[in-house]
Structures are given as structure tokens and as C-alpha cells.
Amino acid sequence: MDIAVRSAAPAWLFGDRVRYQRVLIEPRVAEAPGALSVDAAGSAAAVREFAAGLDEVVEREAAWVRSNGVRAIYADIPFIAGFIGKAAGIPVIAAGNFLWNWILADQPGIGVIAEGYALCDLALRYPLSHDEGWEIFRRSEQVPLVTPRSKRDRDEIRAELGLSGESRAVVLVGGRARLEPEAEARIRGTCSDFVFLSAEMLPNYHDLVRASDVVVSKAGYSIVAECIAEGRPLLYPPRTGFREEEMLMRSAERLMRCAPIAESLWRAGEWGGGLRRLLAMPGPPDFIDTHGAEFCAEILIKTAV
């Protein structure tokens, strides 16, 4: 099956087995500098602004869909997909762990989100999700955990990184939030019992997750799901203004070792205590099926055939 991706997300997320085109098809989330705070009012304003030009985007995307013989749309989880599918006359499968109208529930003028979702044929609801709101879809189905994972052997990756035989815990520093140089220096000066990896060290981020012993990153579905699947603990600075985090981590704490670190400590580079306490935590009490990607792929193939 030929798969085409049209998204503003970076190309490396999708690999080289798909046709990727960078296209803006949904409003952007408004974030404060540092990527740890979401501006809900600003994000809702972006939805309203985007909706003002919705017809033009739908017409453009529906024309692309028709001219390329697309038979189904799989969307995580832009509301515009429902409008495009209706205009092009093809089924739409929405998938994700949260809905944007749930995230922005307290904001005015965002009814277009629910309108788009209501046009989708099916919603695949990932684990670590909220309960309310899914009835907006014509049909919804709970699926196992969906997450990308490395396809390489852990020892092979660690050898490439020069970590063969390394006895210290290996920490992957992920996420888009960045520290000041002084904080980075403090981390390395006070955490000599750890080895630190950065996202730039290998082209495939999933290889770095597998090579690590612990991850430090803001908490979002993708990294939380991958840490659960790989059995990696997560130390995370809290994110404000975004409803997903509390819901997400409340579910995740039974499936992984995870702990918040105060933003002040995170920004100051005082990570040692948090990392050591995290690694000393007992393993999680629950288990979850991690074959959601295969499950969803089967549904998409049946829909598109």
C-alpha cells in the first residue's frame, strides 16, 4: 500500500517508506517560549483564524486527494480531515489520545472542531486518553498502545554511541525545551554518575530511546508511549496550560516509572536527585499491549481496499 503524508510535522518522524510533503493543514498550538507552557486562549484564536480560511484549505486538499487516487485518510487528529474526506468522498479514520475540542473546552468559538470530527467515519482511541467527548464520532474503538519503536538491537546502538561496557546510567535528554548553557554545565558537573545523550547524536530518535536507561523530556503522548513500550523511566518538567498532561500521567504512572521535576530545578540543571530517585523506584504494577500500530494498520488496510 502506498502511503502519503501531508503534515507540518518534521519528515524524520515518518521515515523513508512514505511519500512526505510538508503542508500546513491545521492551526498551530500557541506555546510560550521554552515549550513548557501552552497558551490556550492563543491556541483557540489560531483555530478561529484557521477556520476563516477553511474552505480554501479543504478545496486544495480534496483536490490533491482526488488527483492522487487516495482511498482513505488516517488523521492524528486534525479536525479538518473530516471536512476533506467529505469533500473528496472517501472515508476518514481519526486516531489519537485526546480531542482538540476537549483540550480547548473552556475557549469560545471552536465549534468547527466538533463539526470536523463528526464527519469522520471512525475514531481509534489510543490508551492514556480521556473518557468524555468521543461520542462526537460516528463510531469509536479503543485500541492497544500505538508507538513507534527502534528496529535495532540495543547493544548495536550503544556500540555506535561508544557506550559498550558503560556501567553508568545513560540519560537521553529529549523534547524541544532547551536549557541555558550554565544549566547544562551544572548537570554534567553534579551528575558524573550518569552519561547524557542528546537528540542530535543519531538520526533516529527511537534508537536513542532504546539505547538509554532513562529519559528526561516534557511529557506528551509520543514519548510517554515509547517509554512504556521500551521500559524506560521518564523524568519530566511539568507543562502548564495543557489539559493532556495531568490525564496522561495519571494513566501512565501505573504503566511506567515516571516522576515530575520542578521547573525551577529542571531549568537550573539540578537533576541529580530526581534521576536517582526515579531509578530507585519499583517497577510499574500494570502491563499494556503495545501492538496498537499493527492493530490500526489492519483497520486502515481494510478501509482503503
Side-chain angles (χ1 to χ4, degrees):
M1 176 180 289
D2 186 27
I3 299 175
V5 174
R6 288 172 70 78
S7 172
W12 67 264
L13 284 172
F14 306 103
D16 56 5
R17 297 174 62 184
V18 303
R19 290 190 290 133
Y20 170 84
Q21 290 180 306
R22 185 175 178 84
V23 180
L24 183 63
I25 60 168
E26 60 181 331
R28 294 186 179 276
V29 176
E31 289 184 319
L36 289 180
S37 179
V38 173
D39 177 1
S43 297
V47 171
R48 294 190 292 270
E49 181 180 355
F50 186 85
L54 184 68
D55 291 346
E56 180 181 347
V57 180
V58 170
E59 181 180 352
R60 181 195 73 198
E61 293 303 308
W64 188 93
V65 163
R66 288 189 292 266
S67 65
N68 284 272
V70 176
R71 289 178 290 179
I73 296 173
Y74 189 92
D76 179 8
I77 192 168
F79 63 87
I80 194 176
F83 293 104
I84 297 169
K86 179 182 179 181
I90 61 172
V92 177
I93 299 174
N97 77 309
F98 68 76
L99 307 178
W100 282 108
N101 55 333
W102 179 84
I103 292 287
L104 301 173
D106 296 332
Q107 301 298 319
I110 60 166
V112 66
I113 300 177
E115 292 174 19
Y117 287 159
L119 295 173
C120 296
D121 298 270
L122 171 65
L124 300 180
R125 179 182 164 190
Y126 296 172
L128 313 175
S129 66
H130 51 88
D131 293 326
E132 62 271 36
W134 297 89
E135 64 277 1
I136 190 66
F137 294 97
R138 297 173 183 174
R139 185 163 63 94
S140 65
E141 184 172 347
Q142 183 83 49
V143 302
L145 191 72
V146 177
T147 179
R149 299 178 69 179
S150 173
K151 294 178 173 56
R152 298 177 61 191
D153 180 77
R154 174 176 161 89
D155 290 340
E156 173 191 339
I157 303 169
R158 287 173 73 101
E160 181 178 348
L161 291 165
L163 297 173
S164 297
E166 178 59 66
S167 60
R168 293 172 294 173
V170 177
V171 180
L172 171 59
V173 182
R176 291 178 291 107
R178 291 291 178 260
L179 298 174
E180 296 296 329
E182 295 81 1
E184 294 181 356
R186 185 175 296 111
I187 293 170
R188 286 164 173 76
T190 59
C191 298
S192 59
D193 49 335
F194 296 96
V195 176
F196 291 89
L197 304 178
S198 64
E200 298 76 24
M201 296 180 75
L202 288 178
N204 189 314
Y205 187 78
H206 311 303
D207 290 346
L208 291 167
V209 176
R210 179 159 292 180
S212 68
D213 298 304
V214 60
V215 176
V216 179
S217 172
K218 72 180 179 68
Y221 174 85
S222 295
I223 190 59
V224 169
E226 189 165 3
C227 284
I228 290 172
E230 294 289 348
R232 301 293 178 263
L234 176 68
L235 186 69
Y236 63 96
R239 186 166 42 158
T240 59
F242 201 60
R243 291 185 74 192
E244 181 197 23
E245 183 174 294
E246 182 180 355
M247 172 269 296
L248 179 69
M249 300 315 296
R250 186 170 59 247
S251 301
E253 63 186 10
R254 296 193 60 82
L255 300 168
M256 64 184 297
R257 288 181 289 169
C258 55
I261 177 174
E263 184 177 348
S264 58
L265 296 178
W266 180 83
R267 290 198 181 281
E270 297 177 4
W271 294 10
L275 287 169
R276 296 178 190 106
R277 285 191 296 273
L278 179 62
L279 289 173
M281 291 173 60
D286 292 343
F287 171 81
I288 191 170
D289 184 351
T290 60
H291 294 89
E294 294 89 341
F295 188 96
C296 294
E298 291 181 8
I299 292 176
L300 178 58
I301 290 170
K302 291 177 182 177
T303 303
V305 170

